[in-house]
Amino acid sequence: MSSGGKQSTASIKLIAASDMDRVNIEKAGIEHLVVFLGDGIRSQPALKNSFPLIAVAFSEEAEAELRNALVSLRRLATVPEVPVQRLDARNGTEMCALIRTLAEDGLGRLARFTASMTSELAMLRREREVLFENYRALEDAFQVQNWEPVAEVFAHDPHVDPKDEGIGQLLSSAYVEQLLPVSSQGVAGIALHLNSVPKDGAELVVTLSYVESREGVAEWSAPASKLVANWNFFSLPRACGCGAKTLRLRVSTTGPETVGLSLGFPIASERYTARSEVSHPDLDLRPLAFRVFTGLPGVKPSRMPNMIAPTDLLDGQFIEDYRLAPNLLSRIVDVSVSPVVPEFQTVRFLEHEHAVVCHPLPSGISAGAVSRAVEPGTISFSASAVIDHPEGAPAAVSFLLVPANSNARSEVAELVRTGSAKPSAFFSGWREVGPDRAININIHMDEPVRAHMDLMILSRAVTDSVDFSWLKVSGFRLVKQSGEAINVRR
């Protein structure tokens, strides 16, 4: 037999034997047809390239070991019951010659033919899969080039500088502006890259407006739960039109947790670098990491992990995003309505944190009022609140906007008596807050405020205890719009 024939025959083992009979099998010259089984050999590696049709044994011990090994093969549904043939060692050579003739001639040719067919079928299947993959790749390329509903027209990739200090605190205390170096015609959405996102306690606020007319386009208020540490797509319900204009993107955050807004590579054009009203070293000749998309509005681009719809449409409105100044918050006065006379100051201004403390009392409502804090044209108000002590009892917090120069204690007394505010006021409703995480409180007016209003911060107890319930409110942010031109802060 040629070496090629021996190799082909030996590649498929049709006989099983115990490892104890290896010497007798080798003397008979059929070891290339035998798969050896035993207690020391695992069935899975031993059955590679084998299909046992018969088992042979030369002794009682070998037969017992072989039967134990064949029991494990019953788990394989494709392997039938293998009969065990007992051979005598004295005439084993003659018996093995008959088995060899049967295995190498009739069954061997059939096994080699079956293996060849299986190999050819496997090769044809692999070629078919390759053809399908190539077809899918060509189809995807065609769809991207010709039928992509949203297309990327400009991008600044994120870049991490070892000297980066992060602009998280800058976003919470001010804002970052970015001019988009593309025409507004057909813009359907903007993508911003975030390198880190807190689990909760933060909100990303994105505003899009026109530079030439100072008209607003849309505003997105996205809580941290909707953001991902990757690209975030902010979609428009309708694409920008009505002539080519320059778009300005303004980004800020609310809440005590910081959002890691990514910056791009340094660029030569100072006009298209990110800017803020507060200087920051990371903004020196660096833009935000952003992408601009045109196409069908409301459609998420491929490979974008999420899509965020706008919370407000500012079409035709002039907008201004501003925060309450510390000198205004420092004028807060205590207007609490409670039968309990506290031994400590329940309402005060924290100068170094630009925050207000409003400690609840066992009964009644603790309240602090800031006169004329809300300007005409304001459409939304937001702030964050947290119990600033790890063992502090939970409390309920709310905001109340009342007409300027109103009787503040009367407004609070009305809330205590009826549980609702007067028709002339805007009430946020009660939100429970604890020491474990901060919450965001928002008020969205149906129409802009027509005149100055007073801001009132309210708190009350939710349990029998108010121990260490130091309620701290910070990050007071307001959005103002009007139909007339306003002096937008730069």
Side-chain angles (χ1 to χ4, degrees):
M1 180 180 294
S2 65
S3 60
K6 289 183 180 180
Q7 183 178 2
S8 177
T9 304
S11 62
I12 301 177
K13 303 179 187 294
L14 304 176
I15 305 169
S18 171
D19 194 54
M20 299 174 63
D21 287 331
R22 185 180 293 271
V23 175
N24 294 326
I25 295 295
E26 290 178 352
K27 289 181 180 179
I30 62 170
E31 67 276 4
H32 60 283
L33 301 172
V34 177
V35 54
F36 292 98
L37 303 176
D39 295 337
I41 302 177
R42 296 181 181 271
S43 61
Q44 189 65 23
L47 285 178
K48 184 178 180 180
N49 295 328
S50 61
F51 192 87
L53 299 178
I54 189 172
V56 296
F58 287 88
S59 64
E60 293 183 1
E61 294 81 1
E63 182 179 358
E65 184 184 47
L66 183 58
R67 291 187 182 277
N68 291 333
L70 291 174
V71 170
S72 62
L73 299 184
R74 294 174 183 173
R75 298 194 303 258
L76 304 176
T78 57
V79 179
E81 189 73 22
V82 180
V84 179
Q85 179 67 40
R86 180 71 177 272
L87 302 180
D88 189 355
R90 290 173 297 182
N91 59 354
T93 303
E94 291 79 4
M95 294 294 296
C96 289
L98 179 61
I99 296 175
R100 177 176 179 173
T101 301
L102 181 63
E104 288 183 345
D105 293 341
L107 291 177
R109 286 196 299 271
L110 180 61
R112 291 193 296 272
F113 179 72
T114 304
S116 176
M117 287 186 58
T118 304
S119 178
E120 291 292 337
L121 288 175
M123 186 179 299
L124 290 174
R125 182 176 180 180
R126 287 195 297 269
E127 291 179 355
R128 186 191 65 172
E129 292 298 328
V130 171
L131 288 175
F132 271 119
E133 288 298 328
N134 292 338
Y135 173 77
R136 293 188 191 101
L138 290 174
E139 186 181 36
D140 291 343
F142 178 80
Q143 294 288 346
V144 168
Q145 295 295 328
N146 298 276
W147 299 101
E148 184 67 40
V150 182
E152 180 181 311
V153 295
F154 191 87
H156 270 307
D157 293 328
H159 169 65
V160 178
D161 193 302
K163 299 180 181 179
D164 280 350
E165 299 178 5
I167 59 175
Q169 294 296 333
L170 175 61
L171 292 172
S172 61
S173 60
Y175 57 81
V176 175
E177 283 187 349
Q178 174 70 59
L179 291 184
L180 306 184
V182 297
S183 169
S184 64
Q185 187 72 36
V187 170
I190 310 294
L192 292 176
H193 190 276
L194 305 179
N195 53 66
S196 63
V197 177
K199 293 183 178 179
D200 204 348
E203 186 178 51
L204 186 68
V205 181
V206 181
T207 306
L208 188 66
S209 61
Y210 296 114
V211 173
E212 291 82 1
S213 63
R214 291 178 292 176
E215 295 180 41
V217 178
E219 180 186 71
W220 296 264
S221 297
S225 58
K226 293 185 178 180
L227 303 174
V228 296
N230 201 327
W231 288 103
N232 297 262
F233 181 65
F234 298 85
S235 67
L236 288 170
R238 56 179 177 272
C240 297
C242 302
K245 300 177 184 178
T246 307
L247 290 171
R248 175 189 284 120
L249 202 64
R250 176 177 289 191
V251 186
S252 62
T253 61
T254 62
E257 299 291 337
T258 58
V259 177
L261 185 64
S262 301
L263 293 171
F265 289 82
I267 57 177
S269 177
E270 295 185 8
R271 179 177 177 84
Y272 294 107
T273 58
R275 299 182 181 182
S276 177
E277 61 180 354
V278 180
S279 60
H280 194 282
D282 291 346
L283 299 184
D284 185 21
L285 295 180
R286 294 182 66 184
L288 295 180
F290 67 92
R291 293 177 176 177
V292 183
F293 294 86
T294 61
L296 298 178
V299 177
K300 183 172 73 71
S302 57
R303 298 178 298 277
M304 279 290 167
N306 63 347
M307 183 173 70
I308 303 171
T311 52
D312 287 300
L313 294 178
L314 306 174
D315 189 19
Q317 299 292 331
F318 302 93
I319 60 172
E320 180 182 3
D321 185 339
Y322 68 100
R323 298 175 185 267
L324 294 184
N327 59 349
L328 184 64
L329 289 173
S330 64
R331 299 202 297 266
I332 190 169
V333 295
D334 191 343
V335 292
S336 303
V337 175
S338 174
V340 179
V341 179
E343 298 178 355
F344 55 91
Q345 188 179 1
T346 57
V347 177
R348 59 192 175 95
F349 172 67
L350 301 179
E351 181 178 359
H352 297 291
E353 300 185 47
H354 297 174
V356 170
V357 168
C358 187
H359 196 293
L361 296 173
S363 62
I365 293 179
S366 297
V370 182
S371 178
R372 302 177 67 85
V374 181
E375 300 179 5
T378 300
I379 59 171
S380 67
F381 173 85
S382 63
S384 64
V386 68
I387 299 296
D388 197 22
H389 194 284
E391 299 179 1
V397 60
S398 67
F399 294 136
L400 185 65
L401 306 183
V402 300
N405 303 321
S406 298
N407 188 325
R409 293 186 186 275
S410 174
E411 298 284 348
V412 179
E414 177 70 15
L415 195 60
V416 173
R417 186 177 63 85
T418 64
S420 59
K422 295 180 180 179
S424 59
F426 295 98
F427 182 51
S428 67
W430 293 102
R431 291 280 307 278
E432 184 173 338
V433 59
D436 53 344
R437 63 183 180 90
I439 63 171
N440 289 320
I441 306 174
N442 301 276
I443 299 180
H444 291 275
M445 275 67 79
D446 295 333
E447 58 182 18
V449 173
R450 298 181 180 274
H452 278 88
M453 302 192 77
D454 297 343
L455 168 64
M456 301 180 66
I457 304 167
L458 314 175
S459 69
R460 69 180 185 186
V462 295
T463 63
D464 296 335
S465 173
V466 291
D467 295 341
F468 308 110
S469 186
W470 295 105
L471 175 66
K472 184 174 71 175
V473 186
S474 59
F476 298 90
R477 173 184 173 270
L478 299 92
V479 176
K480 182 172 64 175
Q481 75 176 38
S482 65
E484 300 176 356
I486 60 174
N487 294 322
V488 179
R489 295 185 182 183
R490 297 184 182 275

